[in-house]
């Protein structure tokens, strides 16, 4: 499946299902949302590469909501779709940073072309930071205040990463012991 994640937000459920099916057939990882309610949490969780947003979603205005979504994923372009064809609506949408404004009824092929053109990969960080420490996930090198501390062993790296992923939580002895699977481990370890 294509790594491009598309969030499609439109209150027309029939259109949503049609567009979602077409985008998935094209290989996009597509999530459909029929309401603007909860859209911010969906954007936070999904981290889409592109957002396709209807202008009128029930009682809500997608153009007014767009800046809030852009704060969560500033690099994700927004493509507006709407049956409102007045130029002041198009201008208003483009003023919020939208890359295009497609007028309904939309052509699926055109939408796909715009998604391919504007979707940008969302970079995942290869460094995790905690206080004055940084761990480079690609090299397993631990730094403190930008100075090399050491290159972690595979086991040290897996343990530190596990603890980081569960920061603020208690990690059980059994969960930590899973890292030692296939090796001899004493109670002291």
């Amino acid at each position: 499946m294509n790594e491009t994640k598309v969030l499609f937000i439109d209150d027309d459920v029939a259109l949503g299902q049609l567009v979602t099916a077409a985008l998935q057939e094209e290989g996009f990882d597509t999530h459909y949302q029929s309401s603007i309610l909860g859209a911010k949490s969906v954007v936070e969780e999904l981290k889409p590469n592109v957002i396709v947003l209807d202008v009128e979603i029930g009682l809500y205005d997608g153009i007014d909501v767009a800046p809030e979504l852009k704060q969560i994923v500033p690099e994700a372009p927004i493509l507006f779709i709407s049956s409102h064809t007045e130029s002041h609506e198009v201008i208003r949408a483009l003023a919020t940073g939208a890359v295009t404004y497609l007028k309904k009824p939309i052509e699926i092929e055109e939408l796909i072309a715009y998604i391919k053109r504007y979707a940008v990969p969302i970079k995942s960080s290869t460094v995790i930071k905690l206080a004055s420490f940084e761990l480079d996930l690609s090299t397993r090198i631990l730094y403190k205040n930008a100075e090399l501390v050491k290159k972690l062993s595979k086991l040290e790296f897996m343990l530190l990463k596990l603890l980081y992923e569960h920061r603020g939580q208690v990690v059980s002895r059994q969960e930590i012991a899973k890292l030692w699977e296939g090796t001899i481990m004493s109670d002291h370890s």
Side-chain angles (χ1 to χ4, degrees):
M1 181 160 280
N2 189 321
E3 301 236 349
T4 302
K5 291 187 236 174
V6 178
L7 176 58
F8 185 77
I9 306 173
D10 193 305
D11 61 349
D12 182 339
V13 176
L15 178 65
Q17 291 172 340
L18 176 75
V19 170
T20 299
L23 295 179
Q24 287 175 339
E25 188 176 308
E26 190 66 27
F28 295 113
D29 180 4
T30 308
H31 179 88
Y32 170 61
Q33 179 86 8
S34 64
S35 168
I36 205 69
L37 300 175
K40 288 198 301 190
S41 61
V42 171
V43 169
E44 286 173 354
E45 183 180 328
L46 186 65
K47 299 283 192 250
N49 302 93
V50 65
I51 299 170
V52 181
L53 181 59
D54 189 11
V55 170
E56 187 178 320
I57 308 169
L59 300 174
Y60 296 92
D61 185 325
I63 296 173
D64 292 340
V65 175
E68 296 174 40
L69 302 180
K70 287 292 279 183
Q71 283 183 334
I72 300 166
V73 283
E75 60 279 351
I78 294 181
L79 288 67
F80 279 103
I81 60 171
S82 182
S83 56
H84 297 283
T85 58
E86 303 86 13
S87 40
H88 72 275
E89 288 293 313
V90 175
I91 292 166
R92 198 166 69 91
L94 294 174
T96 66
V99 295
T100 193
Y101 188 101
L102 301 170
K103 297 173 183 175
K104 290 181 179 177
I106 61 172
E107 295 291 332
I108 297 294
E109 295 81 14
E110 186 178 352
L111 177 61
I112 290 169
Y114 275 109
I115 291 171
K116 287 180 179 178
R117 166 70 176 91
Y118 288 109
V120 292
I122 301 219
K123 298 176 181 105
S124 60
S125 176
T126 61
V127 175
I128 55 175
K129 297 177 184 182
L130 190 58
S132 59
F133 289 95
E134 291 184 3
L135 176 60
D136 187 321
L137 300 175
S138 60
T139 63
R140 297 193 328 237
I141 296 177
L142 182 65
Y143 297 92
K144 181 176 181 181
N145 297 321
E147 290 186 30
L148 174 82
V149 174
K150 74 179 276 188
K151 180 168 182 164
L152 301 178
S153 71
K154 185 178 179 184
L155 193 54
E156 289 170 328
F157 172 75
M158 291 185 332
L159 178 59
L160 191 56
K161 189 172 178 227
L162 174 72
L163 293 173
Y164 179 81
E165 290 169 348
H166 293 86
R167 60 194 174 278
Q169 303 172 7
V170 174
V171 179
S172 71
R173 184 174 191 277
Q174 291 77 18
E175 197 167 351
I176 292 172
K178 291 177 188 175
L179 299 176
W180 273 266
E181 282 182 5
T183 63
I184 298 173
M185 184 178 106
S186 68
D187 284 341
H188 180 69
S189 296

